[in-house]
Amino acid sequence: MIKKIDIRGIINSMGLVFGDIGTSPIYTLSVIFIITKLTEEHVLGVLSLIFWTLIILVTIEYSWLAMSLGKKGEGGTIVLKEILVPLLKSGRQVSVITFLSYVGISFLLGDGVITPAISILSAVEGLRVIPGLESITQNTLILIAGIIAIGLFSIQRKGTEKITWVFGPLMVIWFATLAFSGVISIFSTPEVIKAINPYYAVEFVLTNGWTGFFVLSEVILCATGGEALYADMGHLGKEPIIKAWRIVFVALVLNYLGQGAFMLRNPDSTNVLFEMIYQQEPVIYIPFLIMSIFATIIASQAMISGMFSIVYQGISTRIAPLLKIDYTSEEMKSQIYISVVNWLLLVSVLFVMYEFKESHKLAAAYGLTVTGSMVITGIMMTLIFYIRKQMFRSVLAFLVTIVDFVYLLANMYKIPHGGYWSITIATALLCLILIYTTGQKRLYRLLRPMPFADYLKKYNQAYMRASKIKGTALFFARDMSFVPPYITHTMFDNGIIYEDNVVISISLSEEPFGVNTKFREEIAKGLRVFEIKMGYMEVIDLVAMLKTEGIDERTIFYGEEEIITDNIIWRIFALIKKLSPSFVQFYKLPSEKLHGVVTRYEM
């Protein structure tokens, strides 16, 4: 008997994890049969490909293999990197895997632009099935979809905690409707059930040559959103997501089979799901259309929250610059809002809606970065299982990666048809990550921090001689093994020494969550170090933490770097540093106590 808490977890998973893959039936088959003839053999072949794609790429790759890997229940590309890097022996291997993880993150972020656009636009296009609205212009549909997108992105600042409780129940109704409509259609044309046999998938690809191969680039649309099973594991837990997937999988398969049956009976259909529902029961069509729009909004919301989460992971692991973050929930620390990401994503979504005009044209660009991300996940999983000597899983992950790679090759066909936008967005993001991470390393070398032993010797001499200022001064250093130049400039060059000097050291652990704090023993008179070790996905309230420890500072010193350069790459890096908030702004430290120490460096 399923426990009550399991049922709640399953329902929540349907709302927060399966929105994207759950709305794929709106457009997948309609798009596939734009590029291939509608015959019984083709319908059975395509349905078989969809069934086995869901089995291999979602059930095996993500639901089983990927979800067996995690750190304290967390998943995603960054987590895979954090698991794999300590297992590697050479620096070159670490560099390759680190680069691959950057590519994977860029692909996921690039995919985040198209998901809301195609989901919302494809649902709004269902208006054309309503009698009297057949001639509604595409520009009007784009306007409606754009207004929905603007509304969705505008509420992000206020947080979605108050409305997310309805997401799960709505998606339960959505999946139940998909399954029920599919079963009704299958009863009229039961031969579509034969598509479960993989023979039809293999025969379709082999007998249709290049066309059969390129059809794979549209078949992958049925699995977009599958990566959310692993990426969202930390929010809901492994078991509820796996149990929910079993239900979702059955509902999706029944609906796809039902749509295939409907197409055999109605070969002229163009908007298959909506036309099938309208033919089955015209009275429920408008409620279904409204529900489909809500389902796509839920799918888009999950993607937006996912974007915030990925960017925050990037900030925490220092592959992305500091950005202003607001916490939208007092109870759930994972509920965050990043203004820059939100509005850039909205502008990008509106742009691709305007650029592509129709959902089937958007589908021509969709899936390329998704398959790229799947390949990277497959490679990293294969290596982890191999190094851990889990040979069966390693071989299975390798075979799945080959399938991923075949889908990626098929999706190369999409590049001239709009896929270049996905590649352009992902490439731009990857370049920013590489410029930022490389620039940070170069800048750190230029900083020339003072070894702690040398610093301590000078500090003791200065503290004895100096006229000390009353009160407590705070300083920040990532690692006290080497003391940042701004601290030495403040104390030794400018002679500013307080009676009590506290250095706050914030470092990341290899685990996603957990916060450990402690004061090191007083290392010199008037000098203390307060260490904070936090998980790389942890969100902390630094001000509250310092208050809890009884630290009542009078002044907070922090370092800022002014970069002078003629190099175009370092100019971009300098601009990123200039536009991103400083460390003290990121942690919302009290502005009236701040004192910035600016140092100029030439790169």
Side-chain angles (χ1 to χ4, degrees):
M1 185 175 176
I2 299 176
K3 295 177 185 176
K4 188 176 181 180
I5 193 166
D6 288 343
I7 294 172
R8 191 184 305 129
I10 290 168
I11 292 172
N12 288 340
S13 296
M14 288 189 178
L16 297 174
V17 178
F18 296 105
D20 189 1
I21 199 168
T23 51
S24 295
I26 295 175
Y27 48 81
T28 300
L29 276 176
S30 298
V31 167
I32 290 172
F33 283 97
I34 290 174
I35 63 172
T36 188
K37 290 181 189 175
L38 203 161
T39 64
E40 183 175 348
E41 292 77 16
H42 284 190
V43 168
L44 289 175
V46 167
L47 291 175
S48 187
L49 281 170
I50 288 174
F51 178 81
W52 287 101
T53 297
L54 291 173
I55 290 284
I56 296 169
L57 299 191
V58 184
T59 304
I60 296 177
E61 179 167 7
Y62 286 104
S63 176
W64 181 26
L65 293 175
M67 292 186 78
S68 70
L69 298 170
K71 280 197 164 189
K72 290 193 176 178
E74 277 296 320
T77 305
I78 289 179
V79 172
L80 281 178
K81 170 185 166 278
E82 296 294 326
I83 294 171
L84 182 53
V85 165
L87 301 175
L88 300 174
K89 294 178 180 177
S90 76
R92 182 173 291 181
Q93 291 173 339
V94 170
S95 298
V96 170
I97 292 302
T98 300
F99 178 75
L100 270 181
S101 71
Y102 293 168
V103 174
I105 293 162
S106 302
F107 278 162
L108 284 173
L109 291 170
D111 175 47
V113 172
I114 298 181
T115 297
I118 191 171
S119 299
I120 296 171
L121 190 55
S122 60
V124 169
E125 285 172 351
L127 287 168
R128 284 209 175 109
V129 178
I130 300 173
L133 295 179
E134 298 92 344
S135 58
I136 189 170
T137 65
Q138 191 64 29
N139 285 338
T140 304
L141 294 177
I142 293 169
L143 180 63
I144 295 169
I147 290 169
I148 292 170
I150 291 169
L152 174 62
F153 282 91
S154 297
I155 66 168
Q156 297 302 315
R157 178 181 289 277
K158 297 177 181 177
T160 56
E161 184 184 14
K162 292 177 182 176
I163 59 171
T164 48
W165 67 271
V166 303
F167 287 2
L170 268 172
M171 292 307 293
V172 169
I173 297 169
W174 171 255
F175 286 120
T177 306
L178 289 182
F180 187 65
S181 65
V183 169
I184 292 172
S185 184
I186 291 168
F187 270 122
S188 302
T189 317
E191 56 265 30
V192 292
I193 295 175
K194 294 187 295 185
I196 293 173
N197 188 336
Y199 164 79
Y200 293 98
V202 175
E203 184 190 41
F204 177 85
V205 174
L206 294 179
T207 58
N208 284 280
W210 284 111
T211 303
F213 178 68
F214 289 130
V215 162
L216 293 176
S217 68
E218 307 298 357
V219 170
I220 193 62
L221 296 176
C222 75
T224 54
E227 66 280 2
L229 273 75
Y230 182 49
D232 291 338
M233 190 166 68
H235 297 296
L236 298 155
K238 176 180 173 180
E239 290 303 317
I241 293 176
I242 291 175
K243 288 174 181 175
W245 169 242
R246 291 169 189 158
I247 299 168
V248 170
F249 172 75
V250 171
L252 291 175
V253 168
L254 288 173
N255 190 260
Y256 281 122
L257 292 175
Q259 285 191 50
F262 178 80
M263 294 182 83
L264 290 176
R265 299 192 302 272
N266 302 271
D268 296 328
S269 60
T270 54
N271 202 335
V272 187
L273 177 62
F274 290 114
E275 290 176 25
M276 180 174 79
I277 296 290
Y278 184 80
Q279 191 181 97
Q280 288 172 350
E281 188 51 72
V283 176
I284 68 161
Y285 180 74
I286 291 180
F288 176 79
L289 178 61
I290 293 169
M291 184 168 61
S292 72
I293 292 172
F294 274 111
T296 56
I297 289 172
I298 291 169
S300 302
Q301 175 60 54
M303 179 57 76
I304 295 166
S305 299
M307 293 298 102
F308 292 160
S309 180
I310 291 169
V311 171
Y312 183 77
Q313 286 182 39
I315 293 169
S316 297
T317 51
R318 301 187 177 98
I319 66 170
L322 297 175
L323 297 171
K324 185 176 181 292
I325 292 176
D326 295 307
Y327 308 109
T328 60
S329 169
E330 293 180 3
E331 296 179 5
M332 293 181 67
K333 58 189 175 184
S334 60
Q335 293 286 320
I336 58 174
Y337 169 77
I338 306 176
S339 178
V340 173
V341 175
N342 188 66
W343 299 119
L344 280 177
L345 197 53
L346 172 60
V347 170
S348 303
V349 167
L350 294 176
F351 172 76
V352 296
M353 280 183 180
Y354 176 79
E355 174 73 16
F356 288 93
K357 308 290 186 193
E358 299 172 50
S359 62
H360 73 85
K361 290 180 180 176
L362 262 170
Y366 195 34
L368 182 58
T369 52
V370 175
T371 49
S373 177
M374 288 177 171
V375 168
I376 290 167
T377 298
I379 291 170
M380 294 173 103
M381 286 194 309
T382 303
L383 289 171
I384 291 169
F385 289 131
Y386 178 76
I387 294 169
R388 288 180 172 178
K389 300 194 180 337
Q390 294 174 282
M391 291 308 166
F392 174 73
R393 291 193 177 196
S394 179
V395 170
L396 188 59
F398 177 70
L399 294 174
V400 168
T401 306
I402 291 173
V403 175
D404 288 332
F405 191 70
V406 169
Y407 273 98
L408 178 61
L409 288 176
N411 272 273
M412 296 297 179
Y413 157 80
K414 292 185 173 183
I415 292 176
H417 300 284
Y420 56 85
W421 279 116
S422 297
I423 295 292
T424 302
I425 294 167
T427 302
L429 291 166
L430 177 62
C431 288
L432 286 175
I433 291 172
L434 292 174
I435 289 170
Y436 181 75
T437 51
T438 308
Q440 286 289 83
K441 289 175 186 174
R442 179 75 175 269
L443 180 59
Y444 184 75
R445 286 196 296 269
L446 290 172
L447 289 175
R448 287 195 288 274
M450 183 179 288
F452 181 69
D454 296 345
Y455 164 78
L456 194 57
K457 187 177 178 181
K458 292 192 75 171
Y459 169 82
N460 284 325
Q461 293 171 353
Y463 192 80
M464 287 174 63
R465 292 196 303 261
S467 299
K468 292 170 279 296
I469 303 169
K470 286 187 176 182
T472 300
L474 293 189
F475 300 87
F476 293 91
R478 186 183 303 177
D479 179 7
M480 278 301 285
S481 300
F482 291 91
V483 181
Y486 86 91
I487 296 179
T488 59
H489 290 330
T490 302
M491 291 184 171
F492 308 146
D493 298 341
N494 299 325
I496 301 172
I497 297 182
Y498 280 67
E499 288 180 342
D500 183 29
N501 302 279
V502 180
V503 180
I504 312 294
S505 172
I506 301 177
S507 60
L508 298 180
S509 67
E510 292 184 356
E511 300 296 334
F513 290 112
V515 179
N516 293 310
T517 62
K518 68 172 182 179
F519 266 110
R520 277 166 52 178
E521 292 181 14
E522 192 172 51
I523 49 181
K525 192 171 182 181
L527 181 63
R528 297 183 290 162
V529 175
F530 180 59
E531 294 181 337
I532 301 172
K533 191 157 190 173
M534 55 185 272
Y536 55 85
M537 293 181 68
E538 193 68 62
V539 179
I540 64 168
D541 185 340
L542 184 57
V543 174
M545 193 176 287
L546 296 176
K547 192 174 288 185
T548 302
E549 293 293 333
I551 300 173
D552 184 19
E553 71 282 349
R554 183 176 175 183
T555 307
I556 301 172
F557 290 97
Y558 67 97
E560 277 198 353
E561 299 84 27
E562 183 183 343
I563 299 166
I564 308 298
T565 182
D566 293 325
N567 185 300
I568 184 65
I569 300 296
W570 302 138
R571 279 188 178 180
I572 295 171
F573 173 68
L575 183 63
I576 293 171
K577 292 281 287 182
K578 193 172 184 179
L579 293 177
S580 58
S582 67
F583 176 88
V584 291
Q585 290 173 308
F586 180 76
Y587 282 111
K588 297 183 174 63
L589 295 167
S591 56
E592 69 277 6
K593 296 181 179 181
L594 297 177
H595 187 88
V597 181
V598 180
T599 310
R600 181 175 290 183
Y601 296 96
E602 190 168 339
M603 291 179 72

